Amino acid sequence: MSRCLQLTCIMSAFFFLGSSVVSATDQQTREQILDERMETYTKYSNLTLPWYYLAAVDQFERNIQQVRNDLTKREGTVAIQFSNDYWVGVNNPIKNDTLSASIAFFDGNGMDGNNDGFADQKNDDDVMLTMAHFLSNHSHSEKEFKRALKAYYKNEQSVTQIMTIAKIYEHFETLKLDQNAFPLPVNQDYSYRSTWGDRRGWGGRRIHEGTDLFASYGVPVRATTYGLIETKGWNEYGGWRVGIRDVQNTYHYFAHLSSFSKDIKKGDIIKPGTIIGYVGSTGYGKKWTSGRFPPHLHYGMYKYNGRTEWAYDPYPSLKRWEQQERKASR
């Protein structure tokens, strides 16, 4: 009996080991996933609908699914989802209909991308053809593409975010934009701690929406991500500040700068590590106000979910980027 039990345990262990090896082999790398997505975007692109437009819509959908409880996370190569009414037709009694003929009869929009007679929302080809068809029919220029996005998402900020993603992808000609940089050179003297939620009194009671990195005047401030410079100039809280929006629906806010880099301007697309300005102590007053606090960089991160935008604690990201950069420089 004990031999039988021993044999069963050995066989179970062997089976588990074998399963682990298979699953590890089957698991795609990040690079393979991005290559597969690019292949799909290219397949459904055309002269008036370049791949980076499709990629931007798909990435936007992926971003909002990660931060919204009311949206399911779509499994597959692409993240684009449609409402059942849009896919099968408002008057279609079968809300999970996949037959192309009946979907067409009820004026649904779901299409058959792999020519199997079905229009299935679980099929990547069907989903991509449906979105590509909608955008191609409504966009023959950037202006018309933006109008099509507005008609579909009914939100101007969503249109702006998608166009930003598209411009970044177009500029770098790749989806492989996962790299980040610490906002200050790691060989400089600086200090920071988690200051998220601390009280602030100037301008009315509020909480601190970011992390303060203390350093000397003039220390270079660097972009932390691939992104587009959305704002550059003065505000009374942040002084001279720069705002960069990335492909993850994240807005990166750099405040209290002493000056800007002469090499950047609003609308520029930049990569991690690009110098955007220099540490200072500007803000808390009218334009040019400086010196009301020690020199430091205020760094904030804001996430857009397709409806609203909110601040979240950047400290964990800063620690991770700092560690990665120090490790790479050894």
Side-chain angles (χ1 to χ4, degrees):
M1 193 72 176
S2 60
R3 282 185 181 178
C4 215
L5 182 61
Q6 192 176 25
L7 181 61
T8 302
C9 290
I10 292 171
M11 289 179 68
S12 298
F14 180 77
F15 178 76
F16 176 77
L17 181 62
S19 299
S20 300
V21 171
V22 171
S23 63
T25 304
D26 289 345
Q27 191 173 9
Q28 288 181 300
T29 65
R30 174 69 174 162
E31 188 168 354
Q32 289 171 330
I33 290 170
L34 295 178
D35 285 342
E36 195 171 295
R37 286 179 194 165
M38 178 63 90
E39 187 177 331
T40 303
Y41 304 145
T42 304
K43 179 180 178 181
Y44 289 97
S45 65
N46 56 54
L47 288 176
T48 60
L49 185 65
W51 70 267
Y52 45 84
Y53 278 179
L54 290 173
V57 172
D58 186 47
Q59 184 60 37
F60 175 78
E61 294 268 344
R62 184 172 294 104
N63 293 339
I64 63 175
Q65 287 168 30
Q66 291 172 351
V67 293
R68 291 256 297 269
N69 293 327
D70 62 319
L71 297 175
T72 56
K73 235 178 181 179
R74 187 181 185 279
E75 301 295 330
T77 301
V78 298
I80 295 169
Q81 297 185 89
F82 299 92
S83 69
N84 287 338
D85 282 348
Y86 183 89
W87 189 268
V88 305
V90 175
N91 298 315
N92 192 332
I94 306 173
K95 295 305 178 184
N96 60 349
D97 196 358
T98 59
L99 288 174
S100 295
S102 60
I103 288 174
F105 178 81
F106 286 104
D107 294 322
N109 296 285
M111 301 186 73
D112 176 14
N114 60 349
N115 298 313
D116 63 355
F118 296 95
D120 188 352
Q121 286 213 64
K122 295 179 180 177
N123 183 277
D124 288 330
D125 284 305
D126 295 356
V127 168
M128 284 304 297
L129 178 61
T130 301
M131 180 54 78
H133 180 76
F134 168 77
L135 293 174
S136 292
N137 282 349
H138 297 83
S139 56
H140 300 286
S141 66
E142 181 177 312
K143 186 176 180 180
E144 289 181 351
F145 178 65
K146 290 167 72 172
R147 193 176 297 149
L149 292 176
K150 180 68 180 295
Y152 185 79
Y153 288 103
K154 298 177 173 55
N155 186 303
E156 195 63 50
Q157 194 170 355
S158 294
V159 176
T160 299
Q161 177 65 67
I162 292 170
M163 292 307 300
T164 294
I165 298 172
K167 288 173 183 176
I168 296 169
Y169 283 155
E170 179 186 14
H171 180 86
F172 291 107
E173 300 181 328
T174 182
L175 301 175
K176 298 170 184 176
L177 305 175
D178 293 336
Q179 181 187 350
N180 291 100
F182 191 68
L184 302 178
V186 295
N187 61 352
Q188 294 280 345
D189 289 329
Y190 61 83
S191 65
Y192 70 106
R193 61 180 179 84
S194 179
T195 52
W196 175 261
D198 287 358
R199 288 185 180 183
R200 291 292 184 269
W202 192 89
R205 292 202 170 197
R206 56 197 173 88
I207 67 164
H208 190 236
E209 294 183 346
T211 295
D212 288 338
L213 298 96
F214 291 89
S216 300
Y217 283 106
V219 168
V221 173
R222 311 185 305 162
T224 55
T225 182
Y226 292 93
L228 181 145
I229 298 179
E230 189 173 286
T231 56
K232 174 177 176 273
W234 177 273
N235 73 28
E236 61 179 358
Y237 289 96
W240 299 117
R241 93 303 190 196
V242 172
I244 299 172
R245 195 169 294 277
D246 69 14
V247 299
Q248 306 295 332
N249 288 21
T250 304
Y251 179 77
H252 303 255
Y253 178 68
F254 305 78
H256 306 315
L257 305 176
S258 61
S259 61
F260 302 115
S261 167
K262 60 181 176 55
D263 297 323
I264 67 159
K265 64 182 182 300
K266 184 177 176 179
D268 280 355
I269 294 171
I270 56 177
K271 62 183 180 179
T274 301
I275 295 175
I276 59 174
Y278 303 90
V279 170
S281 60
T282 59
Y284 281 22
K286 62 183 181 179
K287 199 170 184 178
W288 303 105
T289 299
S290 182
R292 292 192 170 180
F293 41 76
H296 68 278
L297 168 69
H298 170 94
Y299 179 71
M301 297 175 78
Y302 297 78
K303 182 68 73 173
Y304 177 63
N305 69 0
R307 291 176 176 169
T308 59
E309 187 171 74
W310 73 96
Y312 65 99
D313 189 358
Y315 183 77
S317 296
L318 289 169
K319 291 300 290 184
R320 184 172 68 254
W321 299 337
E322 181 186 33
Q323 290 167 5
Q324 289 171 349
E325 206 155 317
R326 287 192 182 281
K327 185 177 179 181
S329 63
R330 286 174 191 161

